Structure formats: structure tokens, C-alpha cells
């Protein structure tokens, strides 16, 4: 875990769960596996606070526990899982594109709550959807259930490990912590539930549907008393499956971009004859991108998608793009050149790129100093004498990718900090604006006149309004940038992971 | 960014690069590789050595590429901001205890600042968690607020009479409590505790004559219903 990653985890935990959870979480990320009391002691936090924090972290699959000898329970943080919190909006949006609003809300609820039973999810989502529907219409539980089942079938949601039913023959004291298990085959097994009902709207009056006074906190709902049909069966979002989807998407769009250029020079028609299809596939296979490879001639030719090469190409394209945007197109030309020729001497770079020596030197050093390019020594003589050694510029894609990934983590941390700073600077104004909006909203509800509303609105002066506009613009820009950088992070991580697996 | 210091060819300037191997003491400016090979000819002017860290916001040579805009981008952005707001409202967001204010305020009695008894605001499935994570709460019979574990400092907002009464009942309870803690936890007791932990709002409220939820000091005016807000939350 690099410092940059830890810093980013800290920001994410703090933003989503508050300082206390952040303190405990970061401590575990730094120190590894630890028992409860040591955590409390080392962080100087009260035992109760640590317990609360651990409950939250475990609930959200960010920390796991293990029982060691002599009954000591140790807690361990899952750092990469913490970093995935960056991607929550993307997971939810993907669910929306695949399974529309219902799917979107199911995944959102699962991510916000860490894990839930199917019945709880269905009920919650039905309620939420009903809120958005026209008066009088409600969302049926059955429809939500169906979408849930589809998500399970396609592995986008999966069951959490569960407490195995023990045979009660063991009379000893209960273990300090249960051991959770799950079978491959059970992971996507949907329990047979007959969830009947419809979503309920939140009424604006003081009573909710069950007739109890709204005074009671919504978390302790009356259905605590009803037996839950799928008690103990919890579900979580399967992030790996989403990652698979992103990867496929990335490759498809890269190929599509490529094919676009080729398609333009070929006849257009939906009835693609076998011959033409053959041509296309050959084109793809011969394409220097090497996404598709031919792995035999059976059945007229077997084509295979070379995942690793595809990821490598995407990573390389990312690197090229960064060089271009940071150093300019001439630098990018040199970079691509070295990439293509694998190893080049200083002189060769100048010649091939047709860039004057002084400039070429400058550009090479810039890239070298930022580790996009590296120098490789090839000695001519066994004594490695400098005057008799080749010094070649080369691009080591794996290490460049790692370097860039590290920079991305830093970038996002900077973006988040800047956003928090901007928000904090304008805190007073923001609060004032929210108060005014709330007052206006309630006045509108009780039917106030236009003149009165105007008066309230004027509580915010014109320069203040300007300030708020600027703030909103900046925060939006920072947020959008975060999302963008995370896409790059995903690409680079995928490539690095794929490369490490092959070694 | 670490700047690649090559050092100067002038033997007058000190070498900024530590010589490896046999370079030490044999004269300054010795480098382990042939300068010409990397393209620095003899006698070329080199950039001056850097004596300070690079500026915080160096001038950008190239403008950054504009961010993607469009329906998808807008939607994901709004989603991100909504999620941020939503997470802060969920019970998983643990706020540190509000520091005691200098003066007792009347409205303090009416403000709910988190769960009364230091327990959790939501119901995890305790069957899945290590037992040690459960925060033990001893619930008193009726009229008093929860009994706090002996170590916890007493609340300053209570007045003297209450304190004395409380201390008396505390004493009685303490004896019960300590003896209970010594016993082995049997299943029935655990079940009982689980039931006890079900938090009954009416009983645990501070000493006020009014139903807490009816009091509204205007601070969270319209702060509810974050679920379907159209506006972004900062």
C-alpha cells in the first residue's frame, strides 16, 4: 500500500463514514490484522467507538475478521475494496443501463447498505420507485423481485458468506465469532420467496401506513415483529462482475473506434455475407492492435479475443495520450517512436523523429525525468565502460503504467481535497442558501404569494448568488474530473493485474 | 517531480551526482555513463542546478482536455453528488460526540444528538458478527434514562436532584450489574439483552414533558427527503 493509496482511502472513508470510521479504517490499512483492544489502544479511541466503527466497516465489506487461537478475533482491512468506493456511481449507472431504474435502485441500495436481505431490498426499492410515480400508482414487489433475480442470474449481485446451521450436539460455549462460509454453487441462488405487496408512499401526514405515530424513528420499523422469510440470507453487489463488464465495454468501444475507420471504406449493409464477415475478422486479426487472434482453422477459422493484449493496448493508448496532453504532440511522436521501435539511441531518435537534436534531447529528458521512458544500458565490453556502452531509450509499459497509476491516486486525492476545501470556504454561504431554499419550499407548500417569495429570495444578494454559481461550477468540475480519473485508474489496474497474473 | 540532475561538465562546479564505484576521489564530474551517448556534447551549457522544490502550481504549457459532457456525464455526476449527500444521512456515518458547549442551553434538552446510550443507530445482524463488538446496554426499568456503564462521565446537563437520585439507583444497579457480568452468558440472557437493546424512544428521552419529535428548532427545515432531490448536493 503506497502512501498515495492510503491517503486516498482516508479521504474516501472520511467522506462516506465520518472521522471515527476513517481513523479505525486507516489504522487497519496501515498496520494489517489487529485485535479489538490493540486497535483501541493504538488509535487512542474508546472501545465503544472502535466497536461502532468496526461494525460499519464489516457491514460494508471493507473489513473482515478471523478467529485466531485462544479465541482472539483479529480484524483486517481490504484496502482495494475501499478504493472501489470511488466507482460507486459507475456501478449504479451501469445497472441502470442494463436493468433500468429498478436495477439501478437495487444496486444503489446494496452499495449504500453494504449487505441486505432480498426482501428488504425489494421492499425499499418498491417504496422508492412508488415515490416517483404518479399519484395512485404503486410499484409491485413482483416486478422488483424479477429484476433482482435477473441481477443474480447475471452475477451482478451475489450472496454473502453465511453462518452455517450448526448441529446442536455441540454443548460447548459459543465461539467468539462465527465462521462464515459460502459455496460457489450457492452464490447466486435466489431463495424461494413469495414477496407480495406494493410500494408505499411516504405520507406527509404524521402517521405512516401502519398507523403508528411518525415520532418513532424510521429505522425501527414495525415489521421487526413479522418473521422475515429470507432471514440470514444477505446479498451484496458483485464488484468483480461489474469490472468484467467495464473491461468488455472498453475493448468493444476501442475496437468500434477502429472499425469505424475501416467501415467507411467498405460497403455498408446489414446482410453481411460470410465472405465479408471473414474479411472483417481477418482485418481485425491482422490489425496491429492484436485484439483478435486466429487460433486455428476449425469451423472456418477460430477467432479468439486476446484479453491481455487488448488491455495492454488500452494502457499504452492511455500513456500516449497523457504524454501528448502533458508534453505536446512532438513529444508524443517521439514517445510513439520509441514504443514502436522498442529501443533507440539518442541519435536514432533525432533521425527518425526528424526533430532537431537539442529539442529531441530536451523532450527525452522531460519524459525520462517523469519516468515515461527509461534508459537501458547495453555494454559492449565486459567492463561496462561508459564510453563503450550503448544507452538506449525504451518504454517499459508495465512500470510506466504503475507510475501513472500512482499519479492518478495522487490526482484524485488532490481533487477531493480541493473540493472539500472549496466547500468549507463557502460553508456559511451554503448553509444560508439551503435555509433560504427550505423556507421558500415550505412557503410554496402553504401557498405564499409571489411578492413574499421574492422577498425571501432577495435575502441572498447578487454577489452571493454569483459566488454560489462559481462554487457550483467548480465543485461540478472537480467531481467530473474525479470520475474521469477513476476511468483511467480502472484501465491501468486491469492491465497491471492481467500482466501480473501471467507471471 | 524529481528533476533529473545531470550535473555540470565544468569541473569548477561541484558534481551533484554521487559517483559510483571507483569515481570517488578521482576527480569531480565523473559519471558512470558516457555523456555523449545521451546526447550531451562536451562543453554544452547545461541548465543550472535546481536549489529549491518545484513551484506548487507551475504554469501549464498545455491546456487540459475538456471534460466529457453529455447526458451520461451529467447523470453520473448528479448521481455522485446525490450519493455523497445520502451517505452522510445514513446511520453508518458516525459523527464524533458533540463537544460540550460552554453554557447550558435550553434547546439542548430538545436536541437529539445521536443515540442516547452510545449504541449503534442501526441493527446489524449480530449473528454474523464477533460477540465482542456488541455494546452492552443495561436498560433501567422505567423513569430514568439509561444507566451508563460506570466508567462514563456523568452528563453535566442534569441538575443536582436528578444526580442524587440517579446515584442512588446507580448504586443499586451497580451491584446487579457487576454480578451479572461475572456470570456466564447463557442463551436466554443473550436473547433478553437483544430484546432489551431494542430501543424504545419514549423511555430513553431526556427529562422533558414534550414528545421530542414534535420539537422543531428550524435547523433541519426541509432537510429531509434526500432521496429524490433534483438539485445536486455539495
Amino acid at each position: 500500500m503506497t502512501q498515495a493509496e492510503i491517503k486516498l482511502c482516508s479521504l474516501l472513508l472520511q467522506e462516506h463514514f465520518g472521522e471515527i470510521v476513517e481513523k479505525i479504517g486507516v489504522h487497519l490499512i496501515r498496520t494489517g490484522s489487529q485485535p479489538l483492544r490493540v486497535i483501541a489502544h493504538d488509535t487512542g479511541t474508546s472501545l465503544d467507538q472502535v466497536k461502532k466503527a468496526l461494525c460499519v466497516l464489516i457491514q460494508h465489506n471493507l473489513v473482515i475478521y478471523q478467529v485466531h487461537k485462544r479465541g482472539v478475533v483479529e480484524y483486517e482491512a481490504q484496502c482495494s475494496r475501499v478504493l472501489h468506493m470511488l466507482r460507486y456511481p459507475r456501478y449504479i449507472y451501469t445497472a441502470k443501463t442494463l436493468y433500468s431504474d429498478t436495477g439501478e435502485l437495487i444496486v444503489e441500495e446494496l452499495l449504500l447498505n453494504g449487505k441486505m436481505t432480498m426482501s428488504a431490498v425489494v421492499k425499499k426499492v418498491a417504496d422508492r420507485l412508488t415515490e416517483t410515480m404518479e399519484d395512485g400508482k404503486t410499484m409491485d414487489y413482483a416486478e422488483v423481485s424479477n429484476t433482482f433475480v435477473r441481477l443474480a442470474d447475471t452475477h451482478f449481485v451475489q450472496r454473502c458468506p453465511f453462518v452455517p446451521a450448526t448441529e446442536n450436539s455441540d454443548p460447548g460455549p459459543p465461539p467468539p465469532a462465527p465462521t462464515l462460509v459460502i459455496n460457489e454453487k450457492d452464490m447466486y441462488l435466489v431463495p424461494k420467496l413469495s414477496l407480495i405487496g406494493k410500494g408505499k408512499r411516504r405520507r406527509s401526514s404524521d402517521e405512516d401506513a401502519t398507523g403508528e405515530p411518525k415520532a418513532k424513528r424510521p429505522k425501527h420499523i414495525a415489521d421487526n415483529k413479522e418473521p422475515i422469510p429470507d432471514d440470514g440470507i444477505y446479498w451484496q453487489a458483485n464488484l468483480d462482475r461489474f469490472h468484467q463488464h467495464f473491461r468488455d465495454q472498453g475493448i468493444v468501444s476501442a475496437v468500434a473506434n477502429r472499425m469505424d475507420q475501416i467501415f467507411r471504406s467498405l460497403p455498408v449493409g446489414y446482410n453481411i455475407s460470410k465472405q465479408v464477415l471473414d474479411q472483417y475478422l481477418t482485418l481485425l486479426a491482422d490489425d496491429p492492435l492484436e485484439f483478435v487472434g486466429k487460433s486455428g482453422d476449425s469451423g472456418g477459422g477460430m477467432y479468439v479475443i486476446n484479453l491481455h493484449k487488448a488491455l495492454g493496448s488500452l494502457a499504452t493508448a492511455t500513456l500516449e495520450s497523457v504524454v501528448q496532453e502533458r508534453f505536446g504532440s512532438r513529444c508524443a511522436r517521439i514517445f510513439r517512436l520509441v514504443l514502436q521501435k522498442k529501443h533507440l539511441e539518442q541519435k536514432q531518435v533525432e533521425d527518425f523523429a526528424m526533430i532537431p537534436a537539442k529539442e529531441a534531447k530536451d523532450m527525452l529528458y522531460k519524459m525520462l525525468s517523469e519516468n515515461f521512458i527509461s534508459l537501458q544500458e547495453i555494454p559492449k565490453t565486459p567492463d561496462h565502460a561508459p564510453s563503450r556502452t550503448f544507452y538506449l531509450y525504451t518504454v517499459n509499459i508495465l512500470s510506466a503504467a504503475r507510475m501513472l497509476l500512482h499519479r492518478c491516486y495522487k490526482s484524485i486525492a488532490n481533487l477531493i481535497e480541493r473540493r472539500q476545501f472549496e466547500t468549507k470556504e463557502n460553508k456559511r454561504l451554503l448553509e444560508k442558501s439551503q435555509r433560504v431554499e427550505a423556507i421558500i419550499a415550505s412557503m410554496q407548500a402553504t401557498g405564499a404569494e409571489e411578492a413574499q417569495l421574492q422577498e425571501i429570495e432577495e435575502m441572498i444578494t447578487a454577489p452571493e448568488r454569483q459566488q454560489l454559481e462559481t462554487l457550483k461550477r467548480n465543485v461540478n468540475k472537480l467531481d467530473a474530473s474525479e470520475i474521469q480519473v477513476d476511468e483511467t485508474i480502472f484501465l491501468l489496474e486491469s492491465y497491471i493485474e492481467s500482466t501480473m497474473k501471467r507471471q | 517531480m524529481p528533476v533529473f540532475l545531470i550535473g555540470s561538465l565544468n569541473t569548477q562546479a561541484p558534481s551533484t551526482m554521487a559517483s559510483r564505484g571507483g569515481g570517488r576521489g578521482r576527480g569531480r564530474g565523473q559519471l558512470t555513463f558516457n555523456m555523449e551517448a545521451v546526447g550531451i556534447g562536451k562543453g554544452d551549457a547545461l541548465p543550472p542546478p535546481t536549489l529549491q522544490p518545484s513551484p506548487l502550481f507551475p504554469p501549464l504549457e498545455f491546456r487540459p482536455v475538456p471534460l466529457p459532457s453529455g447526458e451520461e456525464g451529467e447523470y453520473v455526476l448528479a448521481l455522485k453528488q446525490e450519493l455523497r449527500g445520502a451517505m452522510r444521512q445514513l446511520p453508518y456515518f458516525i459523527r464524533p460526540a458533540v463537544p460540550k458547549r460552554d453554557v447550558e442551553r435550553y434547546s439542548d434538552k430538545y436536541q437529539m444528538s445521536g443515540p442516547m446510550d452510545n449504541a449503534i443507530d442501526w441493527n446489524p445482524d449480530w449473528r454474523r458478527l464477533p460477540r465482542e463488538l456488541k455494546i452492552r446496554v443495561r436498560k433501567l426499568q422505567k423513569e430514568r434514562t439509561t444507566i451508563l456503564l460506570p466508567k462514563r462521565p456523568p452528563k453535566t446537563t442534569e441538575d443536582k436532584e436528578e444526580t442524587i437520585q440517579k446515584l442512588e439507583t446507580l448504586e443499586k444497579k451497580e451491584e446487579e450489574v457487576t454480578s451479572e457480568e461475572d456470570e456466564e452468558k447463557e442463551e436466554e440472557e443473550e436473547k433478553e439483552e437483544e430484546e432489551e437493546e431494542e430501543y424504545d424512544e419514549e423511555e430513553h428521552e431526556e427529562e422533558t414533558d414534550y414528545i421530542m419529535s414534535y420539537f422543531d428548532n428550524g435547523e433541519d427545515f426541509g432537510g429531509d427527503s434526500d432521496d429524490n432531490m433534483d438539485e445536486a448536493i455539495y
Side-chain angles (χ1 to χ4, degrees), chain A residues 83-323:
Chain A
L83 289 174
H84 290 155
M85 288 205 286
L86 270 173
R87 229 160 267 159
Y88 279 9
R90 203 172 166 192
Y91 300 137
I92 297 172
Y93 182 73
T94 301
K96 186 188 178 75
T97 58
L98 295 173
Y99 298 103
S100 86
D101 289 352
T102 315
E104 178 191 2
L105 291 186
I106 291 177
V107 171
E108 185 177 320
E109 284 298 319
L110 283 176
L111 287 173
L112 283 178
N113 291 289
K115 30 171 106 69
M116 288 170 86
T117 58
M118 177 174 167
S119 43
V121 176
V122 168
K123 183 172 185 307
K124 188 86 206 295
V125 172
D127 286 347
R128 282 182 72 176
L129 285 169
T130 304
E131 288 283 331
T132 65
M133 291 164 94
E134 309 168 1
D135 273 334
K137 296 216 167 162
T138 53
M139 175 58 86
D140 208 71
Y141 282 7
E143 206 180 310
V144 183
S145 286
N146 282 341
T147 310
F148 191 97
V149 171
R150 285 167 72 200
L151 278 164
D153 284 343
T154 45
H155 295 197
F156 280 102
V157 302
Q158 68 186 71
R159 280 180 51 171
C160 304
F162 53 90
V163 186
T166 48
E167 302 89 41
N168 289 323
S169 57
D170 180 9
T179 319
L180 304 173
V181 298
I182 183 118
N183 248 320
E184 277 279 349
K185 58 181 173 64
D186 289 337
M187 258 200 206
Y188 308 102
L189 213 54
V190 180
K192 292 262 179 297
L193 301 172
S194 56
L195 292 166
I196 301 174
K198 297 183 191 294
K200 297 188 182 65
R201 273 174 217 281
R202 232 187 327 185
R203 314 256 179 103
S204 51
S205 64
D206 278 304
E207 298 194 345
D208 71 357
T210 59
E212 290 186 56
K214 200 171 170 222
K216 291 252 187 227
R217 288 211 229 143
K219 290 124 195 162
H220 297 258
I221 330 169
D223 11 3
N224 263 349
K225 315 279 191 290
E226 292 170 17
I228 309 172
D230 56 347
D231 191 27
I233 303 180
Y234 292 93
W235 294 80
Q236 62 186 350
N238 180 2
L239 302 189
D240 284 336
R241 178 64 184 90
F242 280 97
H243 293 162
Q244 214 177 65
H245 181 85
F246 295 157
R247 214 179 45 214
D248 297 343
Q249 256 188 334
I251 295 178
V252 165
S253 66
V255 174
N257 279 338
R258 198 63 175 207
M259 292 320 292
D260 243 355
Q261 300 164 358
I262 301 173
F263 277 172
R264 277 184 217 126
S265 53
L266 289 175
V268 176
Y270 282 103
N271 297 331
I272 305 181
S273 67
K274 186 164 177 302
Q275 260 190 322
V276 186
L277 184 62
D278 219 15
Q279 277 183 333
Y280 285 175
L281 285 169
T282 320
L283 265 166
L284 271 172
D286 289 340
D287 189 292
L289 277 183
E290 293 190 25
F291 278 18
V292 179
K294 194 159 184 200
S295 79
D297 286 309
S298 51
M302 286 259 288
Y303 290 92
V304 129
I305 297 196
N306 192 331
L307 215 55
H308 176 70
K309 287 243 175 76
L311 291 170
S313 297
L314 288 172
T316 311
T318 308
L319 286 165
E320 283 177 30
S321 173
V322 173
V323 170

Side-chain angles (χ1 to χ4, degrees), chain A residues 14-21 36 48-56 58-60 65 73 75 88-90 92-93 96 104 108 111-113 115 124 128 131-132 160-163 174-178 180 202 215-217 219-220 224-225 231-232 234 324-328 346 361 365-366 368-370 375 377 384 386-387 389 391 393 407 418-419 423 430 437-439 442 468 471-472 475-477 479-484, chain B residues 1-4 6 31-41 44 57 60-65 67-68 71-73 75-77 79-84 86-97 112 114-136 149 152 184-185 190 197-202 211 213-214 218-219 221-229 231-234:
Chain A
Q14 188 224 342
E15 209 164 51
H16 289 219
F17 301 116
E19 292 169 14
I20 298 175
V21 175
L36 178 63
D48 278 350
Q49 300 284 52
V50 180
K51 290 181 191 178
K52 276 199 220 180
L54 285 173
C55 283
V56 169
I58 294 175
Q59 173 74 11
H60 283 81
Y65 62 82
V73 180
Y75 302 90
Y88 279 9
R90 203 172 166 192
I92 297 172
Y93 182 73
K96 186 188 178 75
E104 178 191 2
E108 185 177 320
L111 287 173
L112 283 178
N113 291 289
K115 30 171 106 69
K124 188 86 206 295
R128 282 182 72 176
E131 288 283 331
T132 65
C160 304
F162 53 90
V163 186
L180 304 173
R202 232 187 327 185
K216 291 252 187 227
R217 288 211 229 143
K219 290 124 195 162
H220 297 258
N224 263 349
K225 315 279 191 290
D231 191 27
Y234 292 93
Q324 172 137 349
E325 295 309 321
R326 276 221 168 244
F327 303 121
Q346 171 77 33
K361 218 190 308 174
Y365 294 153
K366 240 192 287 186
L368 195 61
S369 74
E370 300 205 16
L375 259 183
E377 292 178 13
H384 290 251
S387 56
T389 311
Y391 292 94
Y393 289 103
R407 270 169 88 146
R418 182 72 203 194
R419 176 171 46 78
T423 311
L430 265 174
E437 271 172 32
I439 296 175
S442 75
L468 281 171
L471 173 67
K472 183 165 179 180
V475 168
N476 283 353
K477 223 192 273 198
D479 267 329
S481 305
E482 266 181 65
I483 296 172
Q484 192 63 27
Chain B
M1 273 301 130
V3 178
F4 193 77
I6 303 173
L31 298 162
T32 55
F33 60 95
N34 185 6
M35 295 281 272
E36 272 157 17
V38 250
I40 306 174
D44 263 1
F57 293 111
L60 272 184
E61 272 177 62
F62 302 94
R63 305 214 74 216
V65 181
L67 292 164
E71 245 184 79
E72 181 179 334
Y75 190 87
V76 178
L77 178 63
L79 190 51
K80 181 174 198 283
Q81 293 176 338
E82 262 175 50
L83 277 177
R84 193 158 56 228
M87 296 208 90
R88 296 186 79 93
Q89 304 298 323
L90 287 175
Y92 311 113
F93 195 99
I94 302 182
R95 293 184 163 80
M112 304 271 279
M116 294 288 144
D117 49 10
N118 211 28
I120 298 183
D121 235 352
W122 49 289
N123 279 332
D125 188 341
W126 293 108
R127 297 168 295 184
R128 296 175 60 93
L129 293 169
R131 286 183 302 150
E132 64 183 6
L133 289 185
K134 207 163 179 179
I135 297 172
R136 302 281 174 221
L149 297 176
R152 216 165 156 213
E184 286 277 282
K185 297 265 180 273
E190 285 230 280
E197 287 216 16
E198 239 174 275
Y199 177 81
D200 192 347
E201 189 166 307
E202 306 291 343
I211 300 180
S213 46
Y214 287 172
E219 273 191 10
F221 224 135
D224 308 302
S225 76
D226 279 325
D227 279 357
N228 295 306
M229 273 181 82
E231 291 140 331
I233 299 186
Y234 300 115

Side-chain angles (χ1 to χ4, degrees), chain A residues 313-372:
Chain A
S313 297
L314 288 172
T316 311
T318 308
L319 286 165
E320 283 177 30
S321 173
V322 173
V323 170
Q324 172 137 349
E325 295 309 321
R326 276 221 168 244
F327 303 121
S329 38
R330 300 183 90 187
C331 230
R333 194 156 91 220
I334 294 182
F335 184 76
R336 275 193 284 271
L337 194 63
V338 180
L339 203 55
Q340 188 191 358
K341 304 278 189 191
K342 306 275 195 278
H343 293 95
L344 282 178
E345 276 187 313
Q346 171 77 33
K347 196 79 179 49
Q348 290 174 300
V349 171
E350 294 163 23
D351 293 340
F352 282 126
M354 294 180 288
I355 292 179
K358 194 149 173 271
E359 271 181 60
K361 218 190 308 174
D362 199 38
M363 292 179 181
L364 281 167
Y365 294 153
K366 240 192 287 186
M367 289 193 278
L368 195 61
S369 74
E370 300 205 16
N371 294 313
F372 283 96

Side-chain angles (χ1 to χ4, degrees), chain B:
Chain B
M1 273 301 130
V3 178
F4 193 77
L5 294 170
I6 303 173
S8 160
L9 285 177
N10 272 328
T11 45
Q12 281 155 11
S15 164
T16 44
M17 217 166 94
S19 321
R20 288 181 215 108
R24 240 166 278 153
R26 270 215 242 125
R28 297 173 169 177
Q30 291 263 346
L31 298 162
T32 55
F33 60 95
N34 185 6
M35 295 281 272
E36 272 157 17
V38 250
I40 306 174
K42 258 206 152 85
D44 263 1
L46 286 166
T50 309
L51 296 165
Q52 56 193 334
S54 37
L56 203 52
F57 293 111
L60 272 184
E61 272 177 62
F62 302 94
R63 305 214 74 216
V65 181
L67 292 164
S69 56
E71 245 184 79
E72 181 179 334
E74 301 281 327
Y75 190 87
V76 178
L77 178 63
L79 190 51
K80 181 174 198 283
Q81 293 176 338
E82 262 175 50
L83 277 177
R84 193 158 56 228
M87 296 208 90
R88 296 186 79 93
Q89 304 298 323
L90 287 175
Y92 311 113
F93 195 99
I94 302 182
R95 293 184 163 80
V98 178
K100 299 213 169 45
R101 295 212 261 189
D102 44 0
V103 177
E104 278 180 33
R105 285 160 212 266
Y106 182 73
S107 62
D108 276 354
K109 269 201 203 169
Y110 290 87
Q111 279 181 353
M112 304 271 279
S113 52
M116 294 288 144
D117 49 10
N118 211 28
I120 298 183
D121 235 352
W122 49 289
N123 279 332
D125 188 341
W126 293 108
R127 297 168 295 184
R128 296 175 60 93
L129 293 169
R131 286 183 302 150
E132 64 183 6
L133 289 185
K134 207 163 179 179
I135 297 172
R136 302 281 174 221
V137 170
R138 296 277 176 268
K139 189 175 152 181
L140 278 179
Q141 251 60 55
K142 262 232 178 172
E143 357 107 33
R144 289 294 141 193
T145 52
T146 47
I147 215 213
L148 310 166
L149 297 176
K151 295 194 193 115
R152 216 165 156 213
K155 294 197 176 134
T156 54
T157 48
E158 288 172 306
D159 62 77
K160 288 216 169 91
E161 280 181 26
E162 280 186 307
T163 323
I164 295 177
Q165 264 194 311
K166 219 181 164 208
L167 282 173
E168 288 180 42
T169 41
L170 247 177
E171 248 185 65
K172 276 190 241 146
K173 264 293 165 177
E174 247 198 59
E175 297 170 13
E176 276 186 33
V177 163
T178 43
S179 61
E180 268 184 344
E181 279 180 343
D182 288 340
E183 282 175 25
E184 286 277 282
K185 297 265 180 273
E186 299 167 51
E187 277 221 1
E188 293 155 27
E189 200 182 320
E190 285 230 280
K191 268 200 210 142
E192 221 178 275
E193 279 172 5
E194 275 170 33
E195 277 167 11
E196 277 184 28
E197 287 216 16
E198 239 174 275
Y199 177 81
D200 192 347
E201 189 166 307
E202 306 291 343
E203 291 192 25
H204 285 227
E205 283 166 7
E206 290 283 350
E207 296 291 305
T208 61
D209 298 324
Y210 305 97
I211 300 180
M212 287 292 270
S213 46
Y214 287 172
F215 175 75
D216 177 16
N217 65 357
E219 273 191 10
D220 15 78
F221 224 135
D224 308 302
S225 76
D226 279 325
D227 279 357
N228 295 306
M229 273 181 82
D230 290 330
E231 291 140 331
I233 299 186
Y234 300 115

